[in-house]
């Protein structure tokens, strides 16, 4: 019976491949449904610890036409679709995309070196990125579909970075729940892993990640090309690879389980021992709470040993222990208790970066742009930043940045009309509405549309409710839950 089901599934994949005579003829909705069914079965087998079944289903998925089509669509529709690797090949036509599907085969596959580029970081240093070829990206996207159900099933409960249905807002709400009460822990360990992606142990990945070992080894040892010089890669997984964030999560998962196992609430010598140890992680940044500073010193040593096994170390510059009354920054938020009351606000660094970005847009590259074009460019930037901070104490910050932006726009308009009066400029570029003044607005050329600059203060503050720790997007029992959260999120952003 099982052989018959397997042969029918393989026949279905083969028939799909035969029917696909053009890229536009592919029914991607059907492909998504078929791949999701396999992913659900993989997650179920992983929960039941049937690892042989997991491996068989993963092989079935990565050899299916549906998964290959989705992988090609992913790499040809994201931001990197116009960026070629070392082979200078782009899949920019329907014929090339269809041919790419047929090229995604395990037999004879060889990963080409990555194209190394450096981008500036916020601290002034450079972050190395590795750009794979289109084919390597598609292969990574293909095998990621098979790996993700496994990593989601085994993930730490309070890991929120690079995971489906989870975000930075969930991590911040978790911190709020742990730190807002009178009996909450008072000490915080801020952790940052030094060069996480660049130093992960290849041996650990090959021994512990449930993925085709030969394919993974080819990616890890593909090497890089920098300034036309080839260089070997003996450690790390490249930042810029589609599968790299999931591999990094697989390496770091287990930190929370280790701490929860040791620091349990228990009775010792007739007394209740409650260390109040909690961990929240977003990618390679994490926060650990504790009742005593000594407890966090001990935890720091534990985590150092845990990471050493995986080829990683804690960054001494960014890892320290602090009291909640002094506060700390995490994911662009400042978390601090003022006279016993926890307030979470946009961090000062984030505010500074945002105002500098607005200055660059308004007074830098749009000095001579039309007002309509400037509003079109500013509104998505303002909306994105505002929505990111719309679930914390941000109203005063929003109002202050609105004031800064209006002053920048005044300078923009005064420069354009140095010989005009301030009154004329105000009437030309700004309108009033009730008690509000200095609203940056204009009409379209056909006089049918009015463009108004969005104000941060108009974005409502709504508390975000974090995702349930045990929720798994590859478990059908949670489908309705994730649908409700998605609908609610869309309504709030509308």
């Amino acid at each position: 019976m099982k052989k018959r089901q397997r042969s029918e599934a393989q026949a279905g994949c083969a028939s799909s491949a035969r029917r696909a005579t053009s890229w536009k003829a592919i029914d991607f909705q059907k492909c998504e449904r078929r791949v999701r069914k396999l992913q659900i079965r993989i997650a179920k087998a992983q929960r039941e610890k049937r690892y042989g079944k997991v491996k068989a289903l993963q092989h079935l998925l990565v050899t299916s036409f549906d998964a290959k089509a989705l992988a090609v669509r992913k790499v040809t529709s994201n931001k990197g679709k116009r960026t070629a690797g070392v082979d200078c090949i782009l899949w920019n036509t329907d014929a090339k995309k269809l041919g790419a599907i047929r090229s995604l085969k395990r037999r004879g596959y060889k990963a080409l070196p990555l194209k190394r580029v450096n981008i500036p970081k916020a601290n002034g240093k450079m972050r190395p990125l590795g750009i794979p070829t289109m084919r390597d990206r598609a292969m990574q996207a293909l095998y990621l579909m098979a790996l993700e159900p496994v990593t989601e099933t085994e993930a730490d409960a309070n890991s929120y970075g690079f995971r489906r249905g989870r975000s930075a807002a969930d991590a911040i709400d978790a911190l709020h729940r742990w730190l807002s009460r009178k009996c909450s822990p008072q000490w915080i360990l801020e952790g940052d892993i030094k060069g996480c992606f660049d130093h992960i142990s290849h041996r650990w990945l090959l021994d512990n990640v449930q993925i085709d070992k030969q394919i993974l080894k080819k990616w890890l040892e593909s090497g890089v090309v920098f300034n036309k010089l080839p260089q070997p890669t003996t450690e790390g997984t490249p930042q810029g690879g589609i599968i790299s964030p999931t591999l990094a999560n697989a390496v770091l998962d287990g930190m929370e389980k280790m701490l929860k196992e040791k620091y349990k609430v228990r009775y010792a010598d007739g007394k209740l021992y409650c260390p109040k140890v909690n961990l929240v992680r977003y990618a390679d940044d994490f926060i650990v709470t504790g009742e005593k500073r000594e407890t966090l010193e001990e935890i720091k040593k534990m985590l150092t040993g845990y990471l050493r096994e995986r080829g990683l170390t804690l960054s001494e510059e960014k890892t320290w222990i602090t009291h909640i009354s002094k506060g700390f920054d995490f994911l662009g938020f400042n978390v601090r208790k003022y006279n016993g009351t926890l307030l979470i606000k946009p961090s000062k660094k984030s505010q500074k970066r945002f105002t500098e970005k607005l200055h660059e847009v308004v007074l830098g590259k749009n000095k001579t742009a039309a007002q309509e074009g400037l509003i079109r460019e500013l509104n998505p930037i303002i909306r994105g930043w505002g929505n990111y901070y719309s679930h914390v104490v941000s109203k005063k910050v929003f109002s202050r940045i609105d004031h800064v932006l209006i002053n920048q726009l005044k300078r923009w308009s005064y420069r354009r009309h140095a010989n005009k009066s301030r009154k004329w400029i105000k009437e030309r570029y700004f309108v009033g509405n009730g008690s509000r003044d200095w609203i940056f607005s204009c009409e379209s050329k056909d006089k049918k549309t009015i463009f108004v600059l969005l104000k941060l203060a108009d974005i409502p503050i709504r508390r975000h409710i974090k995702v349930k720790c045990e929720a798994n997007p590859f478990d059908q029992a949670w489908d309705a839950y994730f649908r409700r959260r998605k609908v609610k999120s869309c309504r709030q952003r509308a």
Side-chain angles (χ1 to χ4, degrees), residues 384-401:
W385 197 85
N387 285 338
Y388 185 76
Y389 293 103
S390 63
H391 56 93
V392 296
V393 184
S394 305
K395 212 65 176 178
K396 287 185 178 179
V397 173
F398 284 178
S399 297
R400 188 186 70 80
I401 292 180

Side-chain angles (χ1 to χ4, degrees), residues 17 23 62-65 67-69 71-73 75-76 87 89-91 94-112 133-140 142-143 215 218-219:
W23 175 256
V62 298
T63 55
S64 71
F65 173 84
K68 291 177 181 180
V72 173
R73 185 183 67 167
V75 301
T76 56
D87 59 356
I89 293 175
L90 291 176
W91 296 340
D94 289 351
K96 289 180 180 179
K97 293 174 186 177
L98 194 63
I101 295 175
R102 302 189 184 100
S103 72
L104 300 184
K105 297 178 181 179
R106 183 179 184 275
R107 180 177 294 178
Y109 171 70
K110 182 180 180 181
L112 293 178
T133 64
M134 295 290 283
R135 187 187 181 201
D136 291 337
R137 273 178 259 173
M139 285 292 284
Q140 289 187 18
L142 177 63
Y143 279 83
I215 296 293
K218 288 176 181 178
W219 292 333

Side-chain angles (χ1 to χ4, degrees), residues 350-397:
S350 179
Q351 294 177 46
K352 183 181 178 182
R353 283 197 300 267
F354 184 61
T355 52
E356 287 174 350
K357 184 174 183 179
L358 293 177
H359 184 276
E360 180 187 350
V361 172
V362 176
L363 299 171
K365 59 182 183 179
N366 284 299
K367 289 180 182 179
T368 59
Q371 186 180 11
E372 176 185 329
L374 181 59
I375 293 174
R376 283 178 179 273
E377 186 167 352
L378 282 173
N379 275 349
I381 298 171
I382 295 169
R383 186 179 291 108
W385 197 85
N387 285 338
Y388 185 76
Y389 293 103
S390 63
H391 56 93
V392 296
V393 184
S394 305
K395 212 65 176 178
K396 287 185 178 179
V397 173

Side-chain angles (χ1 to χ4, degrees), residues 53-184:
K53 183 72 171 177
V54 170
K55 188 175 180 180
L57 290 171
Q58 285 181 324
H59 176 74
L60 187 61
L61 190 150
V62 298
T63 55
S64 71
F65 173 84
D66 303 310
K68 291 177 181 180
L70 292 176
V72 173
R73 185 183 67 167
K74 183 172 184 177
V75 301
T76 56
S77 60
N78 58 16
K79 291 182 179 179
K81 65 183 180 180
R82 295 185 181 90
T83 305
V86 294
D87 59 356
C88 301
I89 293 175
L90 291 176
W91 296 340
N92 48 14
T93 66
D94 289 351
K96 289 180 180 179
K97 293 174 186 177
L98 194 63
I101 295 175
R102 302 189 184 100
S103 72
L104 300 184
K105 297 178 181 179
R106 183 179 184 275
R107 180 177 294 178
Y109 171 70
K110 182 180 180 181
L112 293 178
L114 307 168
K115 183 168 70 174
R116 171 64 57 84
V117 294
N118 292 321
I119 60 172
K121 296 170 67 175
N123 59 6
K125 297 181 180 179
M126 303 300 288
R127 184 191 303 277
L129 287 183
I131 302 175
T133 64
M134 295 290 283
R135 187 187 181 201
D136 291 337
R137 273 178 259 173
M139 285 292 284
Q140 289 187 18
L142 177 63
Y143 279 83
L144 178 60
M145 295 180 209
L147 177 62
E148 216 173 359
V150 175
T151 55
E152 279 292 334
T153 304
E154 299 297 323
D156 281 340
N158 287 288
S159 165
Y160 298 100
F162 304 115
R163 294 181 61 191
R164 290 196 188 187
R166 296 174 185 245
S167 64
D170 296 307
I172 295 302
D173 187 59
L175 287 175
H176 183 271
R177 290 166 185 257
W178 292 334
L179 300 172
S180 59
R181 302 188 181 108
K182 290 182 179 179
C183 60
S184 296

Side-chain angles (χ1 to χ4, degrees), residues 111 202-203 206 216-223 232-234 236:
H202 285 182
R203 177 46 51 196
L206 292 169
L216 178 59
K217 187 176 181 180
K218 288 176 181 178
W219 292 333
L220 297 176
E221 298 178 355
S222 62
T233 48
T234 57

Side-chain angles (χ1 to χ4, degrees), residues 173-375:
D173 187 59
L175 287 175
H176 183 271
R177 290 166 185 257
W178 292 334
L179 300 172
S180 59
R181 302 188 181 108
K182 290 182 179 179
C183 60
S184 296
Q186 301 297 305
W187 289 94
I188 306 296
L189 169 64
E190 301 174 62
D192 183 85
I193 299 168
K194 187 175 181 180
C196 179
F197 285 86
D198 298 328
H199 300 295
I200 295 174
S201 167
H202 285 182
R203 177 46 51 196
W204 194 95
L205 285 171
L206 292 169
D207 290 344
N208 294 275
V209 178
Q210 291 176 258
I211 192 174
D212 190 310
K213 309 299 181 186
Q214 292 186 18
I215 296 293
L216 178 59
K217 187 176 181 180
K218 288 176 181 178
W219 292 333
L220 297 176
E221 298 178 355
S222 62
V224 298
V225 174
F226 184 59
N227 290 334
K228 298 183 179 180
L229 295 175
Q231 300 172 1
T233 48
T234 57
E235 61 180 4
T237 178
Q239 293 189 60
I242 290 176
I243 203 170
S244 294
T246 303
L247 292 177
N249 270 338
V251 170
L252 298 176
D253 281 331
M255 293 169 58
E256 183 180 7
K257 296 170 187 174
M258 177 185 68
L259 296 182
K260 289 292 184 183
E261 185 65 29
K262 180 166 184 179
Y263 296 97
K264 294 179 180 178
V265 177
R266 64 182 186 273
Y267 281 95
D269 300 327
K271 296 180 180 179
L272 180 65
Y273 177 65
C274 185
K276 300 179 183 178
V277 172
N278 302 290
L279 182 143
V280 60
R281 181 174 64 82
Y282 191 95
D284 59 341
D285 296 326
F286 62 89
I287 298 293
V288 184
T289 67
E291 183 64 17
K292 299 178 181 178
R293 185 186 183 95
E294 293 76 16
T295 304
L296 293 180
E297 293 283 4
E298 184 181 335
I299 288 172
K300 185 178 178 181
K301 293 179 181 177
M302 288 177 59
L303 293 177
T304 300
Y306 178 89
L307 295 172
R308 191 184 299 116
E309 295 176 6
R310 292 153 174 78
L312 302 172
T313 57
L314 288 174
S315 171
E316 293 298 329
E317 300 174 359
K318 302 178 183 179
T319 301
W320 54 75
I321 298 172
T322 186
H323 196 270
I324 190 62
S325 61
K326 293 184 178 180
F328 62 93
D329 289 350
F330 185 60
L331 302 179
F333 297 84
N334 180 260
V335 184
R336 183 179 176 184
K337 265 192 175 179
Y338 299 84
N339 298 322
T341 302
L342 184 75
L343 295 181
I344 303 178
K345 307 175 183 178
S347 69
K348 289 185 178 180
K349 288 182 180 179
S350 179
Q351 294 177 46
K352 183 181 178 182
R353 283 197 300 267
F354 184 61
T355 52
E356 287 174 350
K357 184 174 183 179
L358 293 177
H359 184 276
E360 180 187 350
V361 172
V362 176
L363 299 171
K365 59 182 183 179
N366 284 299
K367 289 180 182 179
T368 59
Q371 186 180 11
E372 176 185 329
L374 181 59
I375 293 174

